[in-house]
Amino acid sequence: MRRRAYGTAVVVAALLASAACSSKYEGDSGSSGTAAAGHRTVAPVDGCGRSSWTDPADLSPTRVPARCEPLAPSAQPLPKTRKVTIATGTLSAEYVAPLEVALDKGEFKKEGLDVTLKVLPTPDALPLLAKGDIDAMWAAPEAAVMNGIQGGFDIKWVAGNFSPDPKSKSGLWVKLKQGEAAADVRMAGRRMGTMIGKGSVIAYPMQKALATHGGGLDRIRFQQLGSADVLTALQNGGVDSAWLLDPIWRKVDDNPRYAFLGGQPLGEPLGGMLYGRTLLHDDVDAGVALLRAYIRTVNTYFAGDYKADEAFVTYLAKLLKTDATVLKSTPSLTMDWEIRAGTTTRLQSAYKAAGVSKGSPLPESRTVDRSLYEEAVGHQP
């Protein structure tokens, strides 16, 4: 069957000097996704039926995420062990848990993959991914990534990570002024504390929350702070609003002086796995195998409310090197390997509004590839 197209991208200096030629995906990397030459056969996968794929155009906040049966899709070991390095900004955040569980439970090993998780911030990891010095990033299509692709980096977002539980209040919080209520908060001119800069994917949900309260990314003053300082600054008046992450928002949740104005859209992952040319072109089999192990881990250990299992929470807390009580204080994440239609377009709009990117937005064919996770679950478009 015809598959998504790939090929040689415009190179930047020496970073992308070597164009891959051994890929089973061939053609023009900027095309609409129809293979000009070559193809990969996608076969049905046991345990992954109709529920293993959802229409990317479905942006409903109540959308049920794709799921296979536990232990599916089953491993298809590579003929030779393949070393894979994945960069991640942290090993303690809950959204990294599926990768750490996959490593600990041997799910990558079952695929013939020798995986290393390497802690690197996105700015450091990005050029390494473009050069092929690392194979993947567990991160997000941040402004730096979009600007890198615009400049010629052959990088694509290939799998999602999570969306929040409806009960989560991770997001934009404001300290109410006297006589003010959450419904009539006006954000223009306020000072916001955040550990995440304007170029983060959080710019998108932040833009949405601000728009409903008379603000905008260009109408507030940002103050970037360390993770331990954001809440303190909000409480002592150093800033009058802040983007509070799990589980920090629980510190103000019951205080009537603070109001939650909005967070990440439900049902829409804003990060996950990004591949460079090695897994997009040189070794697509390994790229599919890596996602297959990740998807199997989600289906086996994170399919629903995984925090309802006390033993698993204890195991997870030890793996993430965090306190089990802290881990249980927030709802389970909705782990979701799929990517919604238009997410990178909306992200780029927010980056432009924040002043961290310029020019015309990249089309989704340049930023996203769903074909590898579709192959992993046996979905034939």
Side-chain angles (χ1 to χ4, degrees), residues 57-353:
D58 183 357
L59 301 180
S60 169
T62 59
R63 173 184 61 88
V64 177
R67 291 290 183 262
C68 300
E69 295 175 5
L71 304 179
S74 59
Q76 298 179 35
L78 299 171
K80 184 178 179 181
T81 300
R82 168 72 151 84
K83 290 183 178 294
V84 172
T85 300
I86 306 172
T88 175
T90 178
L91 290 174
S92 61
E94 190 175 337
Y95 66 84
V96 188
L99 296 190
E100 296 200 65
V101 170
L103 193 60
D104 188 64
K105 297 289 187 180
E107 298 300 339
F108 292 131
K109 188 175 181 181
K110 292 174 186 176
E111 299 286 351
L113 299 172
D114 180 3
V115 170
T116 298
L117 300 180
K118 186 172 185 177
V119 177
L120 280 174
T122 295
D124 295 337
L126 195 57
L128 299 178
L129 184 65
K131 287 190 295 183
D133 289 345
I134 60 174
D135 302 287
M137 283 171 52
W138 188 250
E142 298 176 350
V145 175
M146 295 295 102
N147 292 337
I149 297 173
Q150 188 79 259
F153 287 178
D154 195 0
I155 293 171
K156 286 185 177 175
W157 184 20
V158 298
N161 52 6
F162 76 94
S163 62
D165 183 276
K167 297 186 290 294
S168 174
K169 294 181 182 178
S170 173
L172 179 58
W173 285 82
V174 63
K175 192 172 187 177
L176 298 173
K177 298 176 181 178
Q178 188 170 2
E180 195 173 45
D184 58 20
V185 169
R186 312 309 291 170
M187 288 297 297
R190 301 213 186 197
R191 188 166 61 255
M192 178 184 293
T194 174
M195 59 177 283
I196 304 165
K198 294 181 182 181
S200 165
V201 291
I202 298 302
Y204 159 44
M206 190 182 294
Q207 182 185 47
K208 290 186 66 175
L210 290 170
T212 61
H213 292 277
L217 293 173
D218 59 342
R219 301 181 68 188
I220 60 171
R221 293 173 290 163
F222 283 89
Q223 184 169 336
Q224 196 159 354
L225 300 165
S227 59
D229 302 322
V230 175
L231 178 61
T232 301
L234 180 63
Q235 291 173 324
N236 67 19
V239 296
D240 43 26
S241 62
W243 192 271
L244 302 180
L245 303 175
D246 288 336
I248 297 178
W249 60 267
R250 294 304 301 268
K251 300 284 187 180
V252 296
D253 189 27
D254 296 326
N255 191 328
R257 297 177 60 200
Y258 300 91
F260 174 62
L261 302 186
Q264 179 177 330
L266 301 179
E268 184 176 11
L270 299 182
M273 196 77 79
L274 295 118
Y275 280 178
R277 63 179 179 83
T278 59
L279 298 183
L280 288 173
H281 302 288
D282 300 343
D283 196 347
V284 182
D285 287 344
V288 174
L290 184 62
L291 294 190
R292 188 165 50 238
Y294 162 52
I295 291 169
R296 182 168 61 252
T297 302
V298 170
N299 290 320
T300 306
Y301 301 100
F302 298 93
D305 182 10
Y306 51 90
K307 292 185 182 179
D309 184 336
E310 292 282 346
F312 186 70
V313 170
T314 300
Y315 161 75
L316 203 58
K318 184 177 181 180
L319 197 63
L320 298 176
K321 296 181 173 60
T322 190
D323 186 89
T325 302
V326 173
L327 190 61
K328 289 170 61 178
S329 69
T330 56
S332 296
L333 301 177
T334 301
M335 301 301 184
D336 189 353
W337 64 78
E338 294 190 308
I339 300 169
R340 297 297 90 196
T343 297
T344 56
T345 302
R346 292 184 285 277
L347 287 171
Q348 290 177 87
S349 174
Y351 300 150
K352 191 167 186 178

Side-chain angles (χ1 to χ4, degrees), residues 21-33:
C21 58
S22 61
S23 173
K24 295 181 182 179
Y25 290 82
E26 299 175 2
D28 181 358
S29 66
S31 75
S32 63

